Amino acid sequence: MAIAGAVLQLRLAALDALNATSTMPGAADLIKRRQARHPYKAIRVNHEPLA
């Protein structure tokens, strides 16, 4: 079970756009720096747009 302390919602047009956000230059370094200051675990949830 996961309890959200923070939520980030991305609205992307396609799966390719989502994959591109994970491979942006510097993304891994940014995540490591952020986790060093504020330890967290992340999960990804996919769902249809809410009506």
Side-chain angles (χ1 to χ4, degrees):
M1 177 158 94
I3 299 173
V7 175
L8 172 65
Q9 181 177 7
L10 301 175
R11 291 179 182 247
L12 302 167
L15 184 57
D16 289 341
L18 176 61
N19 291 334
T21 63
S22 300
T23 59
M24 293 176 4
D29 291 333
L30 174 64
I31 291 167
K32 287 178 187 175
R33 286 194 312 269
R34 181 73 179 165
Q35 283 183 325
R37 286 184 273 157
H38 307 282
Y40 65 90
K41 293 182 180 180
I43 61 172
R44 182 191 294 187
V45 177
N46 295 318
H47 63 81
E48 294 296 322
L50 300 174

